[in-house]
């Protein structure tokens, strides 16, 4: 088993996350549209009574801008909050047993997770070659991982490595006996 998560594991996790974000985005967007429709009908009636022309079109433009902001911020907040949380992974990554870590194999900050998310734009702009890099680089990093200084690793292997490291720290180094220990010399 490898420490760094390979291309196909990452691809499947991203596919699961994409489906999840799409379905959640539709549900939330439908709710927002219903809310917007009820609010806009009230505003439209008020603007009609006041004789303000063009206000409905202006409200429609504001509504469109807010929907686009929601769509962009929803994905960013989902990825950044999940990857910087104690889970260290999105739901798709959790399902496949992989996590996002920094160079010390620790949890990434929200800022670094945000940089990783927005770095994906560069991976898209390279005609997905930035994503395919995860299949060819030594530490299985995609372009956005290299930009943000992150790694995607197998969670079980990371836990094994952490347990081994903790066990090694608790043992005295060879030749350095415990000062309070009884030795044969007396």
């Amino acid at each position: 088993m490898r420490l760094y998560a390979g291309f196909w594991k990452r691809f499947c996790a991203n596919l699961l996350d994409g489906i999840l974000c799409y379905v959640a985005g539709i549900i939330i967007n439908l709710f927002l549209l219903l809310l917007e429709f009820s609010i806009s009908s009230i505003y439209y009636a008020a603007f009609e009574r006041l004789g303000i022309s063009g206000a409905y079109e202006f409200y429609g433009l504001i509504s469109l801008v807010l929907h686009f902001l929601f769509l962009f911020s929803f994905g960013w907040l989902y990825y950044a909050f999940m990857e910087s949380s104690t889970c260290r992974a999105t739901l798709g990554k959790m399902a496949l047993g992989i996590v996002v870590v920094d160079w010390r194999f620790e949890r990434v900050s929200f800022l670094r997770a945000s940089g990783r998310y927005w770095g994906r734009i560069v991976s898209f702009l390279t005609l997905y070659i930035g994503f395919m890099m995860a299949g060819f680089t030594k530490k299985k990093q995609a372009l956005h991982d290299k930009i943000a200084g992150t790694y995607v690793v197998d969670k079980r292997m990371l836990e094994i490595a952490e347990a081994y490291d903790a066990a090694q720290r608790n043992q005295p180094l060879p030749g350095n006996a415990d000062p309070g220990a009884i030795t044969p010399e007396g």
Side-chain angles (χ1 to χ4, degrees):
M1 184 174 269
R2 295 185 179 132
L3 176 63
Y4 299 103
F7 173 80
W8 290 110
K9 225 175 191 182
R10 293 170 61 130
F11 175 82
C12 291
N14 201 30
L15 184 64
L16 288 172
D17 285 325
I19 291 169
L20 178 75
C21 283
Y22 181 75
V23 171
I26 286 175
I27 292 169
I28 293 170
N29 225 353
L30 285 174
F31 174 75
L32 291 175
L33 282 172
L34 288 172
L35 183 66
E36 176 189 339
F37 179 73
S38 62
I39 292 172
S40 67
S41 61
I42 294 168
Y43 280 124
Y44 184 67
F47 291 144
E48 284 283 315
R49 280 190 220 128
L50 295 172
I52 300 172
S53 63
Y56 191 69
E57 289 80 9
F58 178 72
Y59 182 78
L61 178 65
I62 295 294
S63 171
L64 185 64
V65 168
L66 290 175
H67 278 284
F68 277 118
L69 285 174
F70 167 74
L71 288 175
F72 284 117
S73 63
F74 179 74
W76 161 56
L77 291 173
Y78 168 71
Y79 278 90
F81 274 123
M82 292 296 290
E83 290 175 352
S84 64
S85 71
T86 55
C87 298
R88 299 186 283 188
T90 59
L91 295 174
K93 287 181 183 72
M94 281 191 257
L96 290 164
I98 56 179
V99 294
V100 178
V101 295
D102 65 5
W103 64 275
R104 294 176 298 196
F105 297 102
E106 294 176 355
R107 183 175 67 154
V108 297
S109 66
F110 180 79
L111 186 63
R112 188 176 297 267
S114 295
R116 184 176 188 274
Y117 177 79
W118 293 112
R120 292 167 51 139
I121 293 171
V122 179
S123 293
F124 282 119
L125 292 176
T126 60
L127 304 175
Y128 294 90
I129 292 172
F131 290 106
M132 290 184 257
M133 285 174 58
F136 304 109
T137 58
K138 184 178 178 182
K139 294 182 179 179
K140 306 296 182 191
Q141 285 180 290
L143 183 58
H144 55 277
D145 289 314
K146 288 188 172 284
I147 291 170
T150 57
Y151 303 91
V152 180
V153 298
D154 186 274
K155 185 178 180 181
R156 288 179 294 165
M157 288 301 292
L158 183 63
E159 288 169 348
I160 291 169
E162 287 172 344
Y164 177 78
D165 190 43
Q168 291 300 316
R169 278 183 276 170
N170 289 336
Q171 293 181 357
L173 295 173
N176 294 338
D178 184 15
I182 300 174
T183 59
E185 289 88 43

